[in-house]
């Protein structure tokens, strides 16, 4: 028999879409405060936001009439006609956030001397409020206390608190001119003062990742219909995953694989495989070209000119990075770049890291202004460099001698051998050496304090069945509580990277062979010399001695890491034919 559901139940069902945990309340309340034009917002959470969340802003405030209706279904001041839906300039527009929050908690809104509470759908009376704050204060208490099934899906308070902080930081990235503070159980956890856009990104990176401000590049590009602004780290600071590439469309942080790929493609000449920048891309686009009305949390959107936009993003990043390389390489006597001709100075002062065991051939007499970036030459060189020789040839080379020339781009170790320059990717090469070492040396270390981490339900189930795959690698795991795991031992070679191992374990379910393959490189990778590290000649030679001998110079991820350029092709490039 079909029955009409009662109103409170309908409201709760609808609320489930918008509000699934404390951080979604933070998202909605912050969106409202931002829409109200606030310049300073303070957030207090208790018990990870499950016990209470309070957001105080200094925005426009709400009239008594608005206070009365704010928690009703589809109550919004932001749109009124269907056409408005296609030119939204506010963060909210669906009029369902406060309504949903009121369905699963006790919410109190205080503004302009009035105060109103709605407790799990039941409305309280309008009251006077004596506090003299400007703007609006919203308190949300006892989330899901009347919906135990939903409460069960929440994580531990500390984890929920971390998600709330991440949400606040995400909003702060999109609104740099607004001051944000967040207190968790009375402790100030986030304080981001009003800042310029780039500084805001730097503040967030230094807060979350111990970053130094000088390590960023700024990117800009404008067209008639959109504006791009990006801040990203330089090739010295990178991650091995894409998790810190953030994309904002009209101030909403969205999950969009193709735009993330557009960013990594832009970096592909700077960051070799497996390395990704920290990046924030802010896209401001004509609201008529974008539809946020497809996802309740506005995590996704449809963009009408997506392909064009992606291409634009890649080009913006790539061309600007190339320009930068050109600038850096044409600076006189910069210690990193002595191999480009310097018209004035004697080039004998080349940095020791390039001197190696072999002098660098010097040319004189170029005009710096003539140092054009010759695209076709580079393309040619790249083609030549792409041709990797079959393994047997590397074996032969190893039997003979080589001369270490030096390190270039802080990425390649260069050796001259038999009419060729061999370029060895220092990171991949070292990773491979560690990988081999790891295979030969399976010493393990017991951690003084076991490393504790929380996992999702599916990972928990997977680990209960399969934790043996990790013990085979010297990683002993125990499970002290539901959803909580601890690392008790790790391979000696992976000392200090427990956090990385834990995050690997958290994200790994499914194909065991695949996990084993990736785990190896995770264990070896972190300890490896990175791209961007300066490598002294002794270390370089130790690496070259090993890798030039290898039958198959491939890294644990399967990438060939040695490439070469022949004397012949260099000669041809400058018009000398033998
Ligand atoms: P939406 O944001 O989609 O309009 P909400 O349910 O989030 O819907 O909010 C309902 C209305 O309450 C908003 O349209 C706005 O008019 C008002 N409101 C909510 N929070 C605030 C605030 N912090 N300051 C001023 N007005 C607010
Ligand atoms: Mg809203």
């Amino acid at each position: 028999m079909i029955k009409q559901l009662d109103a409170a139940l309908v409201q709760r069902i609808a609320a489930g879409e918008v509000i699934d945990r404390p951080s979604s309340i933070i998202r909605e309340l912050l969106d409202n405060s931002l829409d109200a034009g606030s310049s300073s917002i303070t957030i207090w959470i208790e018990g990870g936001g499950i016990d209470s969340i309070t957001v105080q802003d200094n925005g426009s405030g709400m009239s008594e009439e608005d206070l009365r209706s704010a928690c009703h279904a589809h109550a919004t001041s932001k749109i009124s006609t269907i056409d408005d839906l296609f030119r939204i300039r506010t963060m909210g527009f669906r009029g369902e956030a406060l309504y949903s929050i009121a369905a699963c908690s006790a919410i109190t809104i205080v503004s302009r001397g009035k105060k109103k509470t709605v407790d799990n759908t039941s409305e309280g009376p309008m009251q006077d409020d004596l506090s003299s704050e400007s703007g609006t204060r919203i308190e949300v208490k006892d989330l899901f206390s009347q919906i135990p099934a939903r409460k069960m899906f929440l994580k531990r308070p500390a984890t929920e608190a971390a998600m709330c902080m991440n949400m606040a930081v995400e909003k702060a990235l999109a609104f740099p001119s607004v001051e944000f503070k967040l207190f968790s159980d009375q402790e100030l956890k986030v304080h981001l003062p009003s800042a310029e856009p780039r500084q805001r990104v730097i503040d967030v990176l230094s807060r979350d990742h111990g970053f130094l401000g000088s390590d960023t590049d700024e990117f800009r590009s404008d067209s008639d219909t959109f504006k791009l602004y990006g801040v990203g780290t330089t090739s010295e600071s990178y991650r091995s995953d894409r998790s810190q590439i953030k994309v904002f469309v009209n101030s909403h942080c969205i999950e969009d694989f193709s735009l993330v790929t557009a960013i990594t493609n832009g970096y592909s000449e700077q960051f070799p495989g497996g390395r990704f920048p920290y990046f924030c891309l802010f896209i401001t686009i004509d609201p008529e070209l974008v539809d946020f009305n497809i996802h309740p949390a506005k995590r996704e959107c449809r963009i009408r000119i997506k392909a064009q936009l992606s291409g634009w993003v890649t080009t913006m990043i790539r061309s600007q990075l190339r320009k930068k390389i050109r600038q850096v390489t044409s600076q006189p006597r910069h210690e990193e770049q002595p191999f480009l001709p310097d018209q004035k100075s004697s080039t004998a002062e080349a940095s020791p890291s390039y001197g190696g065991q072999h002098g660098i051939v010097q040319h004189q007499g170029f005009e710096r202004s003539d140092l054009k970036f010759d695209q076709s030459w580079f393309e040619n060189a790249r083609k030549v460099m792409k041709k990797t020789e079959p393994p047997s040839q590397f074996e032969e080379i190893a039997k003979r001698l080589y001369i270490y020339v030096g390190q270039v781009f802080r990425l390649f170790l260069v050796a001259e051998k038999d009419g060729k320059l061999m370029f060895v990717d220092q990171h991949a090469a070292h990773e491979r050496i560690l990988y081999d070492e790891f295979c030969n040396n399976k010493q393990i270390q017991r951690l003084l304090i076991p490393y504790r981490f929380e996992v999702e339900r599916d990972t928990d189930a997977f680990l209960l069945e399969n934790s043996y795959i990790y013990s085979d690698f010297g990683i002993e795991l125990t499970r002290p509580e539901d959803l909580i795991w601890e690392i008790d031992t790790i391979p000696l070679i992976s000392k200090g990277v427990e956090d990385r191992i834990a995050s690997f374990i958290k994200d790994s379910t499914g194909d065991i062979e695949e996990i084993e393959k990736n785990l190896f490189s995770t264990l070896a990778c972190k300890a490896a010399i990175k791209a961007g590290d300066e490598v002294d000649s002794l270390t370089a030679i130790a690496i070259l001695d090993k890798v030039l001998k290898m039958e198959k110079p491939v890294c644990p991820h399967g990438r060939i890491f040695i490439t070469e350029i022949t004397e012949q092709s260099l000669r041809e490039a400058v018009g000398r034919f033998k």
Side-chain angles (χ1 to χ4, degrees), residues 28-29 31-32 35 78 91-98 298:
E28 295 299 333
L29 296 184
D31 279 356
N32 285 344
D35 282 342
K78 296 167 195 173
M91 299 298 284
F93 59 87
R94 294 163 61 117
E96 62 190 3
L98 296 184
K298 306 182 188 79

Side-chain angles (χ1 to χ4, degrees), residues 185-198:
D185 297 329
Q186 280 105 53
E187 201 183 319
L188 180 63
K189 293 286 196 176
V190 178
H191 184 195
L192 293 163
S194 166
E196 292 298 312
R198 179 188 195 160

Side-chain angles (χ1 to χ4, degrees), residues 180-207:
F180 286 80
K181 280 191 234 168
L182 184 148
F183 294 83
S184 178
D185 297 329
Q186 280 105 53
E187 201 183 319
L188 180 63
K189 293 286 196 176
V190 178
H191 184 195
L192 293 163
S194 166
E196 292 298 312
R198 179 188 195 160
Q199 188 58 43
R200 175 56 58 90
V201 176
I202 292 170
D203 287 347
V204 168
L205 287 178
S206 37
R207 179 191 166 271

Side-chain angles (χ1 to χ4, degrees), residues 383-402:
K383 251 185 245 152
V384 174
M385 288 164 78
K386 262 203 182 126
K387 277 192 222 141
T388 36
E389 297 294 322
S392 61
Q393 184 151 354
F394 287 105
E395 221 173 11
E396 268 179 54
I397 288 161
K399 283 184 207 139
R400 293 179 243 137
L401 290 171
Y402 67 91

Side-chain angles (χ1 to χ4, degrees), residues 16 133 185 204 209 215 260 355 364 369 376 416 483 499 553 560 570:
E133 299 135 346
D185 297 329
V204 168
H209 306 284
D215 293 349
V260 169
Q364 306 246 337
S369 55
S376 62
E416 184 198 321
L483 299 185
D499 55 343
I560 293 189
L570 283 171

Side-chain angles (χ1 to χ4, degrees), residues 66-81:
D66 283 354
L67 218 55
R68 217 182 298 280
S69 59
C71 293
H72 294 167
H74 315 300
T76 179
S77 56
K78 296 167 195 173
I79 57 172
S80 49
T81 69

